[in-house]
């Protein structure tokens, strides 16, 4: 399961709402700087997440319920 | 024992026997149609007829198939007529079908339809129950056979689109009696271990019987109840299993499941890059809005000329002062005028009073003047005295007496010579 601290979809949604708020124009200069910093932070967190997972293929051993490496033998 | 020269001879002989057999040479039989395939070029139909215990291969050549008044499909119950024979290349017993009639729906299909509508009514396939598929799953659970094309296709597709994946395969039988129980235990395993973000249940295409494990009621309920989003890729487009219908997302093929389970790496990178651009543009726009506001303020007189407001206030004060003075002056003027008027009136009154008093005085003086004896003397009269007593009658005089005559400019001493008395008439 994804860790509770960072959920990609939520981060993207927050980023989107930040862009919307900034586009709205009704943001004070102070708030806009805070929002922008948060947006940059979210974007870089998302970027990290995209590449975070290392390619891995495992299989459950149905007898032991252990995870064992799986080798794709093709067709 | 008859010795055949070749397998071809054997099959040819057996086939001939079947075709010319008085019973098998012309048969009529009912059964459920299954495994239907139509050769696109020739138009010949190949299928099997079956009941719960047995099945038989059939071929219906296009010349006969073209006469059918319905579209045959797997699962329907049909009655056919034809002749039995042997397909020599495979030594396969088959019926060459000449006519086919529909006989209501087949048992398996009927079962499936009944179950489908019952579960649909219960809400197992409702769209609003379906969970969204995560964009970026950290780990993907796959329930399928560990051998064969399905897992291979999934891995290949992921390798091609997004190498940042982590697959956990739960191996199952995708066919036969064990299939539903296997798949159920896979769903249970993932639900319990919470080890994946999304589950793919996949199988290649097959006949209705081959896929029938995925029409299991308990399996459909497990798929429905599972907390983790499930993508079902069982069978191909033409097949729709209960597992497909209950899943959060149904896709036609395992490849499609792999394409939808995780976004393409490039798309994800581009998406974030685009969002960054949008963020920068938005903040730039906002800053320029603020800058415009600031410029407007800077260009305001109050800022580039700080004395502007002071001057403005001063002007205001001046005008107030003027107005106050003006009205004040008017007040003073009024008072002054009144005073002047009063004074003038006073002076006029005083003057006229003095003038009238002067006139009065002059009249008195004139009157006094006219009474003065000197004035009488000036007019030619004289006054006679004797011993400083004024003599007003001749009777008071005697001849020889010395008297003094006073005139305006002097006196004369005279002696009385004669006295002449006036008669009464003269007085």
């Amino acid at each position: 399961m994804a860790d509770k601290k960072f959920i990609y979809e939520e981060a993207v949604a927050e980023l989107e709402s930040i862009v919307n708020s900034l586009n709205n124009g009704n943001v004070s200069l102070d708030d806009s700087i805070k929002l922008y910093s948060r947006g940059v932070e979210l974007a870089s967190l998302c970027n990290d997440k995209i590449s975070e997972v290392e390619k891995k293929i495992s299989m459950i051993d149905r007898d032991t319920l252990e995870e064992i490496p799986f080798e794709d033998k093709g067709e | 024992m008859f010795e055949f020269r070749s397998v071809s001879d054997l099959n040819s002989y057996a086939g001939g026997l079947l075709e010319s057999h008085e019973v098998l040479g012309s048969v009529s039989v009912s059964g459920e149609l299954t495994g239907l395939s139509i050769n696109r070029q020739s138009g010949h139909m190949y299928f099997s007829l079956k009941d719960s215990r047995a099945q038989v291969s059939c071929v219906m050549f296009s010349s006969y198939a073209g006469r059918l008044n319905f579209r045959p499909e797997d699962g329907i119950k049909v009655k056919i007529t034809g002749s039995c024979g042997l397909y020599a290349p495979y030594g396969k017993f088959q019926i060459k079908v000449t006519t086919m009639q529909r006989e209501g729906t087949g048992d398996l299909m009927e079962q499936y339809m009944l179950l489908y509508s019952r579960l649909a009514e219960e809400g197992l396939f409702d769209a609003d129950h379906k969970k969204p598929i995560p964009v970026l799953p950290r780990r993907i659970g796959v329930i399928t056979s560990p051998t064969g094309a399905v897992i291979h296709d999934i891995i290949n597709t992921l390798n091609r689109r997004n190498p940042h994946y982590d697959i956990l395969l739960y191996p199952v039988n995708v066919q036969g009696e064990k299939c539903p129980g296997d798949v159920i235990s896979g769903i249970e395993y993932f639900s319990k271990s919470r080890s994946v973000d999304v589950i793919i249940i996949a199988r290649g295409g097959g006949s209705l019987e081959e896929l029938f494990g995925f029409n299991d009621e308990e399996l459909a309920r497990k798929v429905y109840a599972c907390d983790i989003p499930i993508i079902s890729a069982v069978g191909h487009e033409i097949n729709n299993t209960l597992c497909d219908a209950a899943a959060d997302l149904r896709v036609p093929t395992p490849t499609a499941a792999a394409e939808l389970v995780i976004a393409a790496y490039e798309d994800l990178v581009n998406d974030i890059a685009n969002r960054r651009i949008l963020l920068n543009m938005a903040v730039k726009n906002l800053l320029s809005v603020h800058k415009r506001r600031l410029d407007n303020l800077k260009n305001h007189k109050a800022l580039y000329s700080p004395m502007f407001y002071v001057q403005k206030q001063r002007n205001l004060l001046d005008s107030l002062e003027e107005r106050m003075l003006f009205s004040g002056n008017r007040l003073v003027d009024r008072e002054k005028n009144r005073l002047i008027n009063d004074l003038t009136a006073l002076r006029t009154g005083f003057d006229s009073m003095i003038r009238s008093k002067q006139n009065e005085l002059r009249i008195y003086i004139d009157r006094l003047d006219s009474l003065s004896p000197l004035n009488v003397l000036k007019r030619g009269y004289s006054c006679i005295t004797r011993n400083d007593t004024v003599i007003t009658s001749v009777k008071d005089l005697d001849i020889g007496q010395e008297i003094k005559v006073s005139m305006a400019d002097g006196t004369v001493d005279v002696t009385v010579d004669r006295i002449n008395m006036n008669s009464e008439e003269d007085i």
Side-chain angles (χ1 to χ4, degrees):
Chain A
M1 229 35 207
D3 64 90
K4 296 280 181 267
K5 280 181 225 149
F6 184 89
I7 295 167
Y8 185 81
E9 285 88 339
E10 285 177 9
V12 169
E14 193 186 338
L15 187 53
E16 203 169 306
S17 91
I18 285 174
V19 171
N20 287 340
S21 302
L22 290 176
N23 277 332
N24 216 348
N26 291 331
V27 187
S28 74
L29 209 53
D30 269 3
D31 285 348
S32 73
I33 289 161
K34 275 179 213 152
L35 283 174
Y36 179 70
S37 312
R38 175 68 180 150
V40 170
E41 183 193 23
L42 285 169
S44 97
L45 282 170
C46 285
N47 245 345
D48 294 348
K49 283 287 152 179
I50 290 171
S51 320
E52 190 188 61
V53 174
E54 294 277 327
K55 176 173 163 181
K56 192 176 145 201
I57 309 169
S58 332
M59 183 170 78
I60 299 295
D61 183 325
R62 299 248 335 243
D63 296 327
T64 62
L65 291 184
E66 298 277 315
E67 288 181 21
I68 53 173
F70 174 80
E71 205 183 315
D72 177 27
K73 297 184 179 74
E75 287 208 59
Chain B
M1 186 192 290
F2 188 86
E3 191 177 331
F4 286 96
R5 282 180 299 169
S6 65
V7 177
S8 296
D9 283 355
L10 172 63
N11 280 3
S12 171
Y13 178 80
L17 268 185
L18 288 170
E19 281 164 32
S20 59
H21 191 269
E22 56 179 320
V23 175
L24 295 176
S26 176
V27 297
S28 171
V29 64
S30 294
E32 193 185 312
L33 196 153
T34 187
L36 175 70
S37 72
I38 300 170
N39 185 307
R40 282 174 196 232
Q41 278 182 332
S42 63
H44 304 327
M45 271 173 47
Y46 303 93
F47 56 93
S48 295
L49 277 189
K50 64 161 196 167
D51 57 27
S52 56
R53 288 188 305 276
Q55 64 180 37
V56 59
S57 293
C58 300
V59 59
M60 191 172 194
F61 294 115
S62 58
S63 53
Y64 297 106
R67 292 181 203 160
L68 286 174
N69 59 2
F70 68 96
R71 198 166 68 89
E73 55 189 354
D74 282 0
I76 65 168
K77 212 162 185 186
V78 293
K79 184 173 187 178
I80 55 111
T81 60
S83 59
C84 296
L86 201 70
Y87 183 56
Y90 289 88
K92 188 166 80 174
F93 179 78
Q94 68 173 13
I95 304 172
K96 286 179 186 167
V97 178
T98 51
T99 68
M100 184 195 287
Q101 279 169 340
R102 204 177 167 138
E103 275 202 335
T105 48
D107 290 342
L108 274 180
M109 198 64 187
E110 206 167 0
Q111 262 180 46
Y112 166 77
M113 295 300 278
L114 279 171
L115 188 56
Y116 186 95
S117 50
R118 183 156 57 81
L119 296 181
E121 214 162 291
E122 256 186 58
L124 248 71
F125 312 143
D126 284 359
D128 56 6
H129 176 265
K130 300 198 182 302
K131 296 175 282 298
I133 307 300
V135 177
L136 197 66
R138 282 161 55 95
R139 199 168 206 199
I140 303 162
V142 181
I143 300 176
T144 193
S145 165
T147 58
V150 171
I151 187 68
H152 177 72
D153 286 351
I154 290 174
I155 289 169
N156 264 359
T157 306
L158 288 176
N159 283 345
R160 178 164 51 79
R161 285 169 53 82
N162 191 340
H164 298 276
Y165 65 84
D166 180 358
I167 280 183
L168 184 55
L169 171 66
Y170 190 93
V172 294
N173 289 297
V174 291
Q175 199 169 324
E177 280 174 22
K178 280 186 175 171
C179 166
D182 275 9
V183 176
I184 287 170
S185 70
I187 295 171
E188 280 174 345
Y189 171 79
F190 285 132
S191 293
K192 222 180 276 174
S193 67
R194 317 294 306 170
S195 49
V196 297
D197 294 330
V198 59
I199 299 169
I200 296 174
I201 300 175
R203 187 208 190 283
S207 69
L208 188 66
E209 298 75 50
E210 285 168 334
L211 298 180
F212 217 74
F214 294 92
N215 284 327
D216 183 82
E217 183 176 344
E218 199 195 333
L219 169 56
R221 289 186 186 285
K222 277 279 181 240
V223 170
Y224 174 81
C226 181
D227 290 344
I228 302 166
I230 292 180
I231 301 175
S232 177
V234 177
H236 288 169
E237 282 97 326
I238 52 164
N239 306 111
N240 187 8
T241 61
L242 296 182
C243 176
D244 285 334
D248 298 298
L249 179 67
R250 98 139 291 227
V251 292
T253 61
T255 302
E259 280 169 354
L260 288 166
V261 76
I262 188 165
Y265 181 72
E266 255 179 58
D267 291 350
L268 285 166
V269 171
N270 287 341
D271 180 53
I272 293 302
N274 285 336
R275 284 176 196 283
R276 275 202 80 141
I277 291 169
L278 286 176
L279 179 72
N280 285 343
M281 271 166 57
V283 86
K284 254 187 201 166
N285 284 341
L286 190 74
L287 285 178
S288 73
V289 166
H290 281 293
K291 192 173 178 300
R292 264 204 305 279
R293 267 188 218 157
L294 193 65
D295 285 349
N296 284 341
L297 283 173
K298 258 160 59 183
N299 291 334
H300 198 273
K301 275 185 189 161
L303 274 178
Y304 76 73
S305 159
M307 287 308 281
F308 174 72
Y309 270 113
V310 174
Q311 193 55 48
K312 207 172 156 185
Q313 294 303 319
R314 184 174 288 163
N315 289 346
L316 185 68
L317 262 175
D318 284 353
S319 86
L320 276 173
E321 201 176 21
E322 242 166 61
R323 276 164 60 191
M324 261 174 65
L325 267 176
F326 179 67
S327 57
N329 278 346
R330 266 170 44 188
L331 272 173
V332 170
D333 282 352
R334 224 168 35 217
E335 284 303 311
K336 200 166 86 185
N337 286 341
R338 213 162 61 199
L339 270 173
I340 290 170
N341 285 344
D342 288 356
L343 270 174
T344 312
L346 203 64
R347 191 178 295 154
T348 314
F350 190 69
D351 284 356
S352 72
M353 193 188 76
I354 289 184
R355 262 199 305 277
S356 75
K357 291 290 172 196
Q358 276 176 343
N359 287 339
E360 219 175 310
L361 192 64
R362 195 169 297 127
I363 287 165
Y364 285 130
I365 290 170
D366 286 352
R367 229 180 260 172
L368 272 175
D369 275 353
S370 67
L371 288 173
S372 157
L374 288 173
N375 269 0
V376 179
L377 296 180
K378 272 180 197 165
R379 277 182 294 161
Y381 294 97
S382 306
C383 180
I384 298 166
T385 55
R386 196 175 60 112
N387 303 326
D388 290 331
T389 306
V390 175
I391 307 295
T392 60
S393 174
V394 285
K395 290 169 181 174
D396 296 330
L397 287 177
D398 294 311
I399 296 168
Q401 274 183 328
E402 292 223 343
I403 58 168
K404 196 180 256 183
V405 176
S406 296
M407 284 181 286
D409 52 355
T411 58
V412 182
D413 294 322
V414 290
T415 314
V416 178
D417 289 340
R418 205 175 44 216
I419 299 174
N420 301 316
M421 191 84 111
N422 287 344
S423 64
E424 287 294 313
E425 287 88 34
D426 295 333
I427 302 166

